[in-house]
Amino acid sequence: MKHCCILILFLISFTSQSQNDPELIQINPLFNNEHLELNKPYFLASVNDSIKIETLKFFISNVQFFQDEKLIDSLSKKQHLIDLEKEKSLQIEMSRSNRLRYNMIKFSVGIDSITNVSGVFGGDLDPTNGMYWTWQSGYVNFKLEGKSEACSARNNFFQYHLGGYQAPYKTISNIELKVSQQNLIVINFKIDAFLNGIDLAKSHSVMSPNDTAVALSKRFQKIITIGDEK
Amino acid sequence: MKNSRSYVILVVLIATAFGFSKYQDLQYPDYFPVPEYNFDNNRLSDEGIELGRNLFYDPILSRDNSVSCASCHSPYNAFAHTDHDLSHGIDDQIGTRNAPALFNLAWQKSFMWDGAINHLDMQALAPISHSGEMDESIQNVVLKLQQKERYLHLFKEAFGDTPISGAHVLKALSQFQLTLISANSKYDKVKHGSDLFNEQENKGYALFKANCNSCHTEPLFSNYSFANNGLIVDTTLNDFGKYAITKQSKDSLLFKVPSLRNLKFSSPYMHDGRFRRLNEVLNHYTSEIINTETLDPQFEQSIALSSNDKADLMAFLQTLNDTDFVFDPKHQFPLNKSKNPKE
């Protein structure tokens, strides 16, 4: 009985403490400032036409927390596959073992080159997740597929599979965001901004490491922001 | 209390001992270099190797269950495909390259004639997914395997009680392929001191060291690098090798240097299987080199070999044939299926 009380006390103190601790990173894909829904028509101003997103999958890796440029903590799970079809995958759990102070978060969109050359892994990296190229080794860092009348490809289907881990087609993108300490860090991915200015009539299929993949991967720096939960 | 703690320690020790005894190290001669493959991420076990062997010979990996790895990589051809210049896939489709022999894969840095694949674990994804080879997806392979009692059992034996994953399929295939070690040719016996080269073989060995060893480096008989060896482009294929992968002009017409072991079993030769006989290969190197921008500098001066030299070199190359490897029952079709009659 005595043990039981101690356990309960411990649990109470643990939960109350964790209320102040950061618990989740919420990945928040946006389209025209709304939470992006798959297969819903949106208006894309840059092509002056409607657009539907059918697939949005990407890797977030090496999440690290900094206080004034000093590394404070990093998530033990290195790679997270974000898949808009699986709502749960949009939430990344943070470690709750400490009350460290931090004011910056750093992470990468994509998979680093060492992981790319180290053979097969299960879990989020399992090749059955459809994020690994079969004809040439390498992970797909970011996959965006959908339809728009403005797209001249067969069935108006566009597909951007961005990847490549070797120079000169290195596509992993490193992101730094200033954050305030909070229980929930919301990270916006502005997908309309990613597509902004892409000529869907010409550049609708990117599926190998090349110059276009590198150029499009540079857009992540601009489309990823810290946001309020929507 | 003290007693119970020692029991715990005992149990942990036994479990650890069993855990380790399950794994095994790759067996290879001491004059082989250190393998490239990192076994820490995929420890070999009898169960993993056996599962990999079952997968290797099973057409379940293809879309209509008609093509297995062994269809183009037959054990009797040192895991190449005899009499086929280009590989032969699903629906009788013909590919664009010669199916390479498979052995000593733990020492290869990259895979495919153009190096498209960077790790043995990932190699099988290419033929499984290629529309002209097996035309299947790893997702569907996993679904099909999950419906087979035999495979549920084999995966559980190899990887414990977790659902079958793509990673486990690929790791098991690697495990089996890593055991395909060719190290028992006459050359190896001479290395061990249990046999001797005859006079002609010795002359051939000297010619080999002078003319071939810089790329076909012993004891693996390849340095597994990429080179342009002066073959004229086959205009029906227009295959520019590594260039297709890197898109760098310096890589145009570079293909992987293959091992010279087991040539007796693995004809035809070159990335497109253009030469059926070894003397055609030697004639290429002595008198048919095409000089293009990326030609390996070693071929800028042609290799001079008399017909006697060629005969001697041929005699040496014969000593690299490893009959024990080619006929090793451990590498062949698994006949143990009857043990688990439930499919």
Side-chain angles (χ1 to χ4, degrees), chain B residues 23-72:
Chain B
Y23 298 120
Q24 51 170 277
D25 290 327
L26 202 63
Q27 301 296 317
Y28 57 87
D30 54 10
Y31 52 86
F32 270 33
V34 176
E36 288 286 324
Y37 192 88
N38 180 359
F39 293 89
D40 294 344
N41 294 334
N42 190 16
R43 301 291 300 275
L44 300 188
S45 67
D46 285 342
E47 294 80 3
I49 294 164
E50 191 56 23
L51 169 60
R53 180 186 179 194
N54 276 269
L55 292 168
F56 188 89
Y57 283 94
D58 197 333
I60 198 169
L61 299 188
S62 64
R63 186 233 310 143
D64 62 357
N65 304 325
S66 68
V67 180
S68 73
C69 304
S71 302
C72 289

Side-chain angles (χ1 to χ4, degrees), chain A residues 116 119-120 126 128 132 134 137 165, chain B residues 116-119 121 129 139 166-167:
Chain A
N116 261 292
V120 72
D126 196 281
T128 52
Y132 195 87
T134 58
S137 291
Y165 64 92
Chain B
I117 308 297
N118 67 23
H119 196 285
D121 294 354
S129 314
Q139 292 87 339

Side-chain angles (χ1 to χ4, degrees), chain B residues 53-54 57-59 70 75-76 329-337:
Chain B
R53 180 186 179 194
N54 276 269
Y57 283 94
D58 197 333
Y76 306 110
K330 286 204 303 289
H331 301 154
Q332 292 169 12
F333 187 85
L335 293 171
N336 58 343
K337 285 186 174 177

